[in-house]
């Protein structure tokens, strides 16, 4: 009897939230180039071998060049009771070091292609809390790969499905989600199915006109894999904070700090990558939902 009452109350609450969600929501297609960015730094040091014993890093440093590009495009359809989001994200970074003695060394520091599609129910529309946001359950499907394989490892190829709940489309809170996921990893000949959970957050705050602070974070924990690989991860965490300054109509300059860490299941120490820099980016709204 108590279970029946709980089911009836839950259904009634869902209907109330669904009807409340109809007010003040935008609908229609929204096509946006979120980011077309380039990081380019270069240091050219000459005759550094003659100054290798001098206590002056500007004279004895290695010549190096860093090039990193990032592309993020989204095509979203805002239905009356759902949001269908599609996105293509690509990034690639390369560092070239020319030491005073020895051969030139080139390494990749970013290489990722992510094609994703999400379907989210717009069940709840909060207007007066945390700047307002929408909420609902979601499912997503994504394919992740890379431009080039890393070292002797094969090219990454992963299909990932998620199901969970999120808060989204807020004034400050752009995304807050928790989900379980299943990965089909066919990077190696021994294909593996992996299960786990993840959570993420995206915040945005307008400091003043043309200046915007952004923060994103994603945590992913792997709980099970059908085939054990030496490269399996236990967990990963990525944090990104930047200050986006609009210098022209669609051109921004953003100092940022990015931190990534991951723990291998069969490796002792935890891997870390900290990157601080300035990015130049272009964005454009082709079509806005109303």
């Amino acid at each position: 009897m108590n279970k029946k009452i709980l089911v009836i109350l839950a259904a009634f609450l869902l209907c109330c939230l669904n009807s409340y969600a109809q007010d003040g929501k935008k609908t229609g297609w929204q096509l946006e180039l979120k980011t077309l960015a380039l990081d380019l730094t270069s240091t050219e040091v000459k005759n550094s071998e003659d100054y290798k014993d001098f206590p002056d890093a500007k004279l004895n440093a290695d010549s190096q060049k860093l090039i990193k590009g990032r592309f993020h495009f989204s095509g979203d359809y805002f239905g009356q009771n759902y949001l269908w989001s599609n996105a293509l994200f690509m990034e690639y970074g390369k560092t070239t070091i020319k030491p005073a003695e020895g051969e030139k060394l080139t390494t990749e520091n970013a290489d990722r292609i992510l094609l994703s599609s999400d379907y989210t129910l717009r069940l709840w529309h909060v207007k007066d809390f945390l700047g307002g946001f929408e909420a609902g359950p979601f499912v997503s499907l994504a394919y992740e790969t890379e431009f080039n394989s890393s070292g002797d490892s094969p090219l990454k190829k992963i299909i990932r499905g998620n199901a969970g709940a999120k808060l989204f489309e807020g004034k400050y809170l752009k995304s807050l989600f928790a989900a379980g996921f299943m990965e089909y990893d066919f990077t190696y000949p021994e294909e593996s199915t992996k299960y786990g959970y993840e959570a993420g957050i995206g915040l945005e705050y307008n400091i003043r006109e043309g200046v915007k602070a952004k923060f994103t974070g994603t945590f992913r924990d792997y709980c099970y894999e059908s085939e054990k690989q030496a490269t399996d991860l236990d967990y990963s965490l990525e944090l990104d904070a930047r200050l986006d300054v609009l210098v022209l109509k669609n051109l921004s300059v953003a100092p940022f700090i990015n931190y990534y860490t991951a723990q291998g299941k069969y490796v002792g120490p935890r891997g870390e990558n900290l990157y601080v820099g300035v990015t130049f980016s272009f964005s454009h709204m082709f079509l806005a939902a109303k």
Side-chain angles (χ1 to χ4, degrees):
M1 183 66 180
N2 291 334
K3 291 183 178 180
K4 291 182 178 180
I5 294 175
L6 289 175
V7 170
I8 293 173
L9 289 175
F12 176 74
L13 179 60
L14 184 61
C15 292
C16 292
L17 292 177
N18 193 33
S19 62
Y20 175 64
Q22 308 306 312
D23 300 328
K25 297 190 303 182
K26 59 184 179 182
T27 57
W29 277 103
Q30 182 161 297
L31 305 177
E32 183 180 6
L33 174 61
K34 291 181 176 292
T35 305
L36 178 60
L38 178 67
D39 303 333
L40 177 60
T41 60
S42 177
T43 301
E44 188 70 27
V45 184
K46 295 182 178 180
N47 304 317
S48 58
E49 64 274 11
D50 296 325
Y51 294 88
K52 60 183 179 181
D53 296 327
F54 284 61
D56 191 335
K58 292 183 179 180
L59 293 177
N60 56 36
D62 295 330
S63 298
Q64 52 186 297
K65 295 180 181 179
L66 169 64
I67 300 175
K68 182 179 180 181
R70 189 172 68 257
F71 174 88
H72 187 190
F73 182 85
S74 66
D76 304 331
Y77 183 77
F78 291 81
Q80 189 63 35
N81 297 306
Y82 65 91
L83 169 61
W84 180 34
S85 301
N86 304 278
L88 173 61
F89 177 84
M90 299 186 293
E91 65 174 351
Y92 185 79
K94 180 180 289 187
T95 301
T96 301
I97 300 175
K98 296 180 180 179
E101 299 177 358
E103 298 181 354
K104 180 176 69 173
L105 175 65
T106 299
T107 59
E108 291 180 350
N109 49 57
D111 189 351
R112 187 183 183 196
I113 302 173
L114 181 64
L115 181 63
S116 62
S117 182
D118 297 18
Y119 183 87
T120 307
L121 291 178
R122 307 173 72 183
L123 295 184
W124 195 12
H125 187 193
V126 177
K127 297 180 180 179
D128 302 319
F129 182 67
L130 296 177
F133 55 84
E134 296 188 49
F138 77 96
V139 292
S140 69
L141 184 66
Y143 174 67
E144 183 175 352
T145 185
E146 52 190 351
F147 291 98
N148 300 305
S149 58
S150 301
D152 297 328
S153 64
L155 192 73
K156 178 189 290 186
K157 291 176 289 185
I158 295 174
I159 295 176
R160 182 182 301 115
N162 296 53
K166 70 166 68 172
L167 310 180
F168 59 100
E169 289 295 316
K171 181 179 180 181
Y172 308 116
L173 186 61
K174 296 303 177 181
S175 178
L176 177 63
F177 74 90
F181 69 84
M182 181 185 74
E183 280 188 359
Y184 176 62
D185 187 345
F186 54 107
T187 301
Y188 298 93
E190 300 81 11
E191 299 168 355
S192 179
T193 301
K194 304 176 182 181
Y195 298 92
Y197 65 90
E198 65 178 343
I201 188 172
L203 302 173
E204 194 171 289
Y205 180 73
N206 289 321
I207 298 176
R208 58 179 176 84
E209 185 177 357
V211 180
K212 187 179 299 183
K214 297 180 179 180
F215 174 81
T216 59
T218 304
F219 175 78
R220 182 174 294 150
D221 194 345
Y222 291 85
C223 302
Y224 169 82
E225 58 278 336
S226 61
E227 295 289 338
K228 291 181 171 56
Q229 299 284 353
T231 55
D232 286 339
L233 292 179
D234 187 16
Y235 65 85
S236 66
L237 171 69
E238 183 169 10
L239 305 173
D240 186 276
R242 60 188 61 226
L243 187 65
D244 198 76
V245 181
L246 187 66
V247 294
L248 291 175
K249 183 178 181 181
N250 294 316
L251 181 64
S252 300
V253 177
F256 70 93
I257 179 170
N258 181 275
Y259 175 73
Y260 176 78
T261 183
Q263 174 65 62
K265 286 197 171 184
Y266 311 109
V267 179
R270 177 166 51 90
E272 295 181 90
N273 187 317
L274 179 64
Y275 186 52
V276 179
V278 178
T279 185
F280 300 89
S281 63
F282 175 82
S283 62
H284 182 69
M285 179 73 73
F286 294 96
L287 179 64
K290 298 180 181 180

